Amino acid sequence: MGIQLFNPLTRRMEPFEPLEANGRKIGMYCCGPTVHDFAHIGNFRTFVLCDVLRRYLRFRDYEVYHVMNVTDVEDKIIARVKEAGTSLKAYTQIYEEAFFKDLEALGCLMPHETPRATDHMDSIIELIERLVAKGIAYSAADGSVYFSIGRYQQAGCCYGQLQKLDFDQMRPGERIQSDEYAKDAVADFALWKARTEADGEVFWESPWGQGRPGWHVECSAMSMHYLGNSFDLHLGGEDLKFPHHEDEIAQSEGAGLQEPGKPFVRHWVHGAHLLVEGKKMSKSLGNFYTLRDLLDKGFDGRAIRFVLLSAYYRESFNFTLDGLQGAKTALGRLDECVAKLEAWQKEFDGEAKPAKSKLIDGFVAAMDDDLNVSAAWAAVFEWVRDINRQISQNALSPENAAMEYQAWLSVDQVLGLGKDLSKEVIPDDITQMAIQRQEARTQKNWAEADRLRDELKAAGWTVEDTPEGPRPKRL
Ligand code: AMP
Ligand code: ZN
C-alpha cells in the first residue's frame, strides 16, 4: 500500500506522494534548534522523529536531501546576548556546537545542510522585497516591514491552512512584532524588525534601514533556497504549527514563486510534545532535562534514543527517569537476542539469501501506517521472543539465523540503535595503548600522544572521552 502520512491540512491520513510524480528524490526541511541554550530532551524527541522519517524513506528506496536550519537570531537569543554582554556569534556558537554533539550522541544522521539564518540575509531580504513588490508586505514608519494578512487574503490566498482561525477577532492592520504569539493574536506579523536600542550590535543593513529578520521568514527563505520553491516534507514540533508554519506558508506562497498548482510544502509532519513526569518541562518544577543532564546521570544516548522513539509521534509522550531505566532493560533484552543471533549466524558459510523475515513484514506494516513506531516495537519484541525460543529449542538453522540477522540489521538502519559499544570487548593491547596515550597527554608529551593515536587508528580504533575517562571505540 505504501507509506501513509497524516496530513494536518486535510486532517486525514493520505498516501505519501513525492512532488515529482513517481520520483524517488525527496526534499525534507526540519525546523532546527533556536540556539539560545542547550536543547532539552523534548526538542530531541522532534529531531529524532526527523531522523527516523529520513531513515525510513531511505529504507523504502527514496533518496532524501535533509535540510535543518539553525535559528541563530531571534527575540530570545537577542535578550540572552544582551544579558551575557557578549557578541551574537560568540553566544550562539557554544549552543550550536553542543547541539550537534548531542544529535550525534543520539545516533541521528547529520542533515545534508544546516544553514544558519545569519548566513542567509541576502535570501531573506530578497524574499521580503518580493513580498513588498507584490503589495503583500508593507513598511511601517520605524522601518519595520510587516506581512499584511488582509492583502494576502485579497490576493486569493488562504491564511489559516494549518490552524483554524477566528478572523472576526482580527482588527485590520493590527501588528505583532514578537516571533511567538497565540492564535487569538492573529495580526500582521513582522518580516523585518527595525533596529532598536535593545538589539545592541545585532543588526543588518537592508533596503528599509538597519534591523533584523523575523523568525518565520528565516525558515521560508532558507528552505526554498536549498530545496526549491516547492518541496516534499516539512517537519517540526506541534507548537510550530501556529504561527510559525502558518506564516511560512503565507510568506512562501504569498511570494508566488511556486509553479501553478504546486504548494510550498507537499506534506507537513508535526510531532506531539514530550511531557516530563506528566507535566510540561519547566526549570521551576525540576523536571527540565537537557541531554547532557541525562548523560551525567549515567544514561547513554542509545537508551535515550530508544525512549524518545518509543511512542507514536502524534501522541504526547510522558518521559520519566523510571521509564528510561525500564528502557535500558528492554534494550538489554534486544541486545542479548541480537548478540546470540550474530554469533550463531557465523556458523553459516553459504551465500546469504535476501533478508526475508516476519520482522521486516511487521515493521514495514507499522511504519507505513504514519510511522507507527509503537506498533513497530511490538513487531520487534515479538520477533525477539520468537528468535529466543527458536535458539533455545535448537530450531534455528545457521542459514536462517543469517537471514534473521540481516533482517535485524536492515530494520536497525531505520531505528538507528547500532550495537551496545559499552559491552564491546576491547583487546588488551588497545587498552594499553589508550592508557599510554592518556599518560603522554597528562605529561604534555604531544608527539608521543599523537604517535599512539595514529597507531590506534591504524588498528581501527579511536579514543572517546567519556565521564569515566578515555575509552577506546571502534572507528
Ligand atoms: P526550538 O529550539 O525552541 O526552536 O525548538 C526546536 C524543536 O523542538 C521545534 O521543532 C519544537 O517544536 C520542538 N519542541 C519544543 N518543545 C518540545 C517538546 N516538549 N516536545 C517535543 N518537541 C518540542
Ligand atoms: Zn522553522
Side-chain angles (χ1 to χ4, degrees), residues 139-296:
S139 54
D142 70 345
S144 294
V145 180
Y146 289 90
F147 185 94
S148 162
I149 292 176
R151 293 198 218 153
Y152 178 64
Q153 288 173 319
Q154 280 155 22
C157 300
C158 172
Y159 190 78
Q161 296 187 33
L162 286 166
Q163 182 79 53
K164 287 206 179 344
L165 297 167
D166 180 2
F167 290 100
D168 293 342
Q169 302 276 331
M170 191 179 158
R171 286 182 289 272
E174 194 166 308
R175 295 172 193 159
I176 191 133
Q177 264 269 348
S178 116
D179 281 330
E180 286 176 80
Y181 50 91
K183 74 180 162 64
D184 53 7
V186 182
D188 290 359
F189 59 90
L191 299 169
W192 187 260
K193 305 183 186 195
R195 183 182 178 190
T196 64
E197 212 175 300
D199 291 339
E201 290 310 302
V202 181
F203 67 90
W204 286 262
E205 300 292 341
S206 82
W208 313 282
Q210 294 174 339
R212 62 186 171 94
W215 170 38
H216 317 301
V217 76
E218 296 175 3
C219 276
S220 281
M222 288 187 280
S223 59
M224 292 196 290
H225 179 86
Y226 287 95
L227 295 172
N229 300 324
S230 292
F231 55 93
D232 299 288
L233 275 163
H234 195 317
L235 287 87
E238 62 186 356
D239 56 317
L240 299 193
K241 244 191 213 179
F242 188 88
H244 188 55
H245 289 164
E246 194 65 53
D247 289 353
E248 274 192 52
I249 297 177
Q251 296 154 157
S252 309
E253 296 192 352
L257 293 159
Q258 292 73 26
E259 282 171 29
K262 283 204 175 166
F264 163 51
V265 168
R266 175 71 186 85
H267 295 277
W268 290 91
V269 175
H270 292 115
H273 268 193
L274 180 91
L275 301 174
V276 174
E277 310 286 349
K279 299 199 175 68
K280 202 174 160 171
M281 246 182 292
S282 109
K283 292 214 164 119
S284 60
L285 290 173
N287 66 348
F288 187 95
Y289 297 122
T290 62
L291 182 71
R292 38 213 62 222
D293 293 334
L294 297 176
L295 297 178
D296 288 349

Side-chain angles (χ1 to χ4, degrees), residues 46 291 404:
T46 298
L291 182 71
E404 297 289 0

Side-chain angles (χ1 to χ4, degrees), residues 282-326:
S282 109
K283 292 214 164 119
S284 60
L285 290 173
N287 66 348
F288 187 95
Y289 297 122
T290 62
L291 182 71
R292 38 213 62 222
D293 293 334
L294 297 176
L295 297 178
D296 288 349
K297 285 184 191 294
F299 294 104
D300 65 5
R302 206 168 160 257
I304 301 166
R305 178 181 176 94
F306 179 75
V307 166
L308 293 178
L309 259 183
S310 51
Y312 175 41
Y313 77 91
R314 288 206 297 127
E315 275 164 13
S316 59
F317 172 68
N318 188 26
F319 175 91
T320 62
L321 288 179
D322 284 350
L324 184 52
Q325 199 60 49

Side-chain angles (χ1 to χ4, degrees), residues 28-49:
M28 166 169 151
Y29 185 87
C30 307
C31 287
T34 306
V35 282
H36 62 92
D37 209 333
F38 294 112
H40 57 63
I41 48 162
N43 300 133
F44 284 114
R45 181 184 191 200
T46 298
F47 297 121
V48 169
L49 163 68

Side-chain angles (χ1 to χ4, degrees), residues 62-103:
Y62 291 101
E63 199 184 312
V64 182
Y65 197 64
H66 178 190
V67 180
M68 185 190 69
N69 71 302
V70 174
T71 302
D72 62 347
V73 54
E74 54 77 82
D75 298 349
K76 276 194 293 262
I77 296 178
I78 304 233
R80 297 281 183 96
V81 168
K82 202 158 179 233
E83 273 165 34
T86 177
S87 73
L88 182 75
K89 185 79 201 164
Y91 183 85
T92 56
Q93 201 167 4
I94 295 167
Y95 299 110
E96 185 184 311
E97 280 170 13
F99 174 77
F100 286 113
K101 250 182 136 174
D102 289 358
L103 208 58

